[in-house]
Amino acid sequence: MSEAVVLYVWPGEWDLPSLDPECLTALCYLKYSQIEHTVQVVEKHWDLLKNSLPRLTFKNEVYSGIDEIIDFIKQNKNDEFLLSDKNYPDMLAILCLFKQKFIPAFNALCWLDNENTYTVIRKAYGKHLWFPFSLIKLKSIADNAKNVIMSGYRSSHVQFESINQHILYESKECLNIISTKLGENLFMFENKPSLLDAYLFGYLSVLYKAPFINSALKSHLLASSNLCSLITRIQREQFPIDKEEIESKRVKELASRMKFLSWLNFFSVKSWFKQPSSSTTSKLTEIEEWEKRKSQLVALSVALSAMVVYAFAIGFIRIDVIKTDVEYVEKN
């Protein structure tokens, strides 16, 4: 292709090129399609908030979401990438099974399991978004995940807690089928990569690498050694770990923490009281600094107020009022 194909993805985490399973799927499928492209890791907070990822651009056209990106790749990929007419329908059938049975359980683990949602997933996504942008974006993702899961059940009275075990059971059965089909082969079909392998890497690599707590789904994956080998091999061949990049990322995170600590020190009580100076210039400097601090305190107060109002608006903070009925009984 003469024009540049650019894929925009979430930043990496857990030694993966991206922390998002759909971004990983798009990255892997593009690699296998042999389409020349560049990867742009989105680190701007506002871009992460307002735009959906993954996102692909080509010839002034924008393809948002994994489905549009896959359609684009299918229209432009190398002919050698195609499976035979015999295996292609089987691949699509297992992919459909994976989407219907495994992905809902994976999303439930990531976005509806309180322990793992707040200690693993929200922590990983949230470090790339400013507060309160993180609340807005992550609540939107969690609500969408829950709506997709619940849309498979017709009754509006069904609660997630009542179907969670059923979803988990079906996801385990799905992994059993895929593991049996894979066997000792390098890939799912014809020992050549397909869209199914890209999806398996995108989702299973996050399940395999992220430090989920007490996850039955992760334990089941770890028991399937051939699936773990598939994930490890794909990452080693297509996304080798760059030690320099990891070190650069670590230094960047350290610098971010130091910046945060400097802000804490700036607003500390001790820093607000300094020894008086006899110099007129020093007094003027202190007055200017005091005025600057007052402006920043006003801005901080307004920001905190806005955050509290927003937290109430989205239900993050809630006040429950309990009403009791009092009956009066007349004595005869």
Side-chain angles (χ1 to χ4, degrees):
M1 292 184 177
S2 57
E3 298 286 340
V5 175
V6 182
L7 179 67
Y8 298 87
V9 298
W10 277 89
E13 192 72 24
W14 314 303
D15 294 336
L16 293 171
S18 177
L19 58 82
D20 184 75
E22 291 190 349
C23 291
L24 289 171
T25 302
L27 282 166
C28 191
Y29 198 47
L30 266 176
K31 283 271 191 177
Y32 287 144
S33 68
Q34 300 177 6
I35 295 176
E36 293 185 5
H37 65 281
T38 58
V39 178
Q40 181 66 48
V41 177
V42 180
E43 296 182 341
K44 294 182 179 179
H45 303 272
W46 182 247
D47 196 10
L48 288 171
L49 174 66
K50 68 177 182 177
N51 294 316
S52 62
L53 296 174
R55 186 173 75 254
L56 185 144
T57 58
F58 176 67
K59 291 183 177 179
N60 298 323
E61 295 289 333
V62 179
Y63 303 87
S64 297
I66 188 64
D67 293 332
E68 291 187 10
I69 293 174
I70 288 174
D71 290 339
F72 168 83
I73 296 174
K74 286 181 178 180
Q75 296 171 7
N76 297 276
K77 69 184 178 182
N78 192 317
D79 291 339
E80 295 179 358
F81 189 56
L82 294 173
L83 293 175
S84 65
D85 293 338
K86 177 183 177 181
N87 287 324
Y88 190 73
D90 293 339
M91 187 275 291
L92 290 180
I94 296 180
L95 177 59
C96 183
L97 177 71
F98 183 76
K99 289 181 176 180
Q100 291 181 351
K101 303 301 182 182
F102 177 83
I103 292 182
F106 175 85
N107 287 336
L109 172 65
C110 291
W111 300 106
L112 302 180
D113 182 291
N114 288 334
E115 186 175 18
N116 286 296
T117 296
Y118 288 97
T119 60
V120 180
I121 297 301
R122 281 182 176 264
K123 181 179 179 182
Y125 279 81
K127 70 168 61 174
H128 303 289
L129 289 163
W130 282 337
F131 187 85
F133 293 161
S134 57
L135 287 178
I136 301 172
K137 184 69 174 183
L138 300 184
K139 185 178 188 302
S140 174
I141 296 175
D143 289 344
N144 182 64
K146 185 174 183 178
N147 291 336
V148 170
I149 292 173
M150 301 306 296
S151 64
Y153 299 86
R154 295 181 179 179
S155 176
S156 60
H157 301 289
V158 174
Q159 299 295 321
F160 169 74
E161 290 74 13
S162 63
I163 63 174
N164 187 28
Q165 291 302 317
H166 176 69
I167 293 174
L168 179 60
Y169 172 79
E170 289 191 331
S171 67
K172 291 180 179 180
E173 290 297 309
C174 175
L175 288 182
N176 290 340
I177 294 172
I178 294 174
S179 178
T180 302
K181 175 61 181 174
L182 176 62
E184 299 300 324
N185 299 320
L186 294 178
F187 297 100
M188 291 297 296
F189 291 95
E190 301 178 15
N191 277 329
K192 65 169 60 175
S194 65
L195 177 59
L196 176 58
D197 297 286
Y199 261 96
L200 291 178
F201 175 75
Y203 282 85
L204 297 186
S205 62
V206 175
L207 182 61
Y208 182 64
K209 292 276 190 176
F212 290 109
I213 304 169
N214 299 327
S215 170
L217 188 58
K218 179 169 184 174
S219 299
H220 195 78
L221 171 63
L222 295 177
S224 303
S225 58
N226 58 346
L227 290 178
C228 295
S229 298
L230 175 68
I231 298 166
T232 304
R233 187 177 63 256
I234 291 177
Q235 182 174 6
R236 183 177 65 249
E237 294 175 353
Q238 303 299 330
F239 309 101
I241 297 175
D242 189 343
K243 294 183 179 180
E244 292 183 359
E245 184 178 349
I246 293 176
E247 181 63 21
S248 175
K249 181 180 178 181
R250 189 188 69 82
V251 171
K252 187 182 294 185
E253 290 182 354
L254 181 60
S256 178
R257 291 178 183 177
M258 293 300 295
K259 184 178 180 181
F260 176 73
L261 290 175
S262 66
W263 272 96
L264 286 180
N265 181 63
F266 181 80
F267 284 107
S268 66
V269 176
K270 184 178 179 180
S271 66
W272 284 62
F273 299 95
K274 296 182 178 180
Q275 295 296 327
S277 174
S278 59
S279 172
T280 305
T281 306
S282 299
K283 290 182 179 180
L284 290 175
T285 304
E286 290 180 3
I287 293 174
E288 291 174 355
E289 185 176 354
W290 174 252
E291 293 297 329
K292 182 180 179 181
R293 288 180 187 273
K294 286 198 298 183
S295 300
Q296 290 176 334
L297 279 176
V298 172
L300 180 62
S301 301
V302 172
L304 288 175
S305 301
M307 291 175 189
V308 172
V309 171
Y310 173 76
F312 274 105
I314 65 174
F316 190 76
I317 298 176
R318 184 176 58 184
I319 299 176
D320 294 328
V321 179
I322 301 176
K323 296 181 178 180
T324 58
D325 295 330
V326 181
E327 295 182 357
Y328 295 92
V329 181
E330 289 187 3
K331 293 183 179 181
N332 294 329

